[in-house]
Amino acid sequence: IVNVFNNQKKKLFNKVRTSLLTNRQASAHEISEALDALSAINTNDIAVIFMAGHGIRDKDGTYYFLTSDGTLDNPNAGGISWNLLSGYLNRIKGRVILFLDTCHSGSIISETVVPNDELSQEFFSGKRGGTMVFSASKGRQYSMESPDIGGGFGIFSYALTQGLSVKSKDADQNGNGYVEFMELVEYVSKYVDNTTNGEQTPWLTRKELFGDLPLVAVE
């Protein structure tokens, strides 16, 4: 995702600023710092946030994105709650696109995996305009991954990167030279549905429509 948008410098976007947190770097503190920094962007900017990992809920039903220093037994100590995430996004002045590759089973037992429909209902309980969430799976489905997909990609994440780069011509359905957000949604949804034989269905939630917008220039 970072490489995709860095490649758009001086093409679609004048400037591209990125913050990448992987593996042990993706702690609750570091993620919170990165989200807080987005409050500095202006109304003409676009914030693209990509989060991949496990969504879990505690015994009280509170939902968390489990960070690198979180545990299943105590997600509050090392997790990002959706209420906290919503607070950060409410301070972003520009348009926000949030890609969520969560809710895959992995090593977590099915009882702890967060269904994306419930997660998004929690997320959208507050008032915040200009936010779109495109998540990897619908309802109680899980986000799948395979060693045969890009060397171990999540299927949703792989489709995103392909549609925004080497397969951008395929995603650009209207042939205007750009992959627009809704074109990406359609490309990714079709790829994931076909690859998983309908067992995983990407899901788009709109908090407030801000119109379609180009994400990348076609390669």
Side-chain angles (χ1 to χ4, degrees), residues 56-64 118 122:
I56 68 172
R57 59 184 176 183
D58 65 12
K59 61 182 180 181
D60 298 320
T62 300
Y63 295 91
Y64 293 87
E118 295 179 20
E122 288 287 316

Side-chain angles (χ1 to χ4, degrees), residues 132 134 171 173 179-189 204 206 209 211-215:
M132 307 279 270
F134 188 32
Q173 295 182 351
V179 177
E180 293 156 341
F181 180 73
M182 292 307 300
E183 289 178 325
L184 179 67
V185 168
E186 185 167 345
Y187 173 85
V188 171
S189 298
L204 173 65
R206 313 177 188 207
L209 295 177
D212 209 352
L213 75 162
L215 296 179

Side-chain angles (χ1 to χ4, degrees), residues 113-132:
V113 178
V114 176
N116 275 331
D117 54 354
E118 295 179 20
L119 179 153
S120 289
Q121 288 171 14
E122 288 287 316
F123 179 80
F124 288 109
S125 61
K127 293 182 178 180
R128 169 68 172 86
T131 300
M132 307 279 270

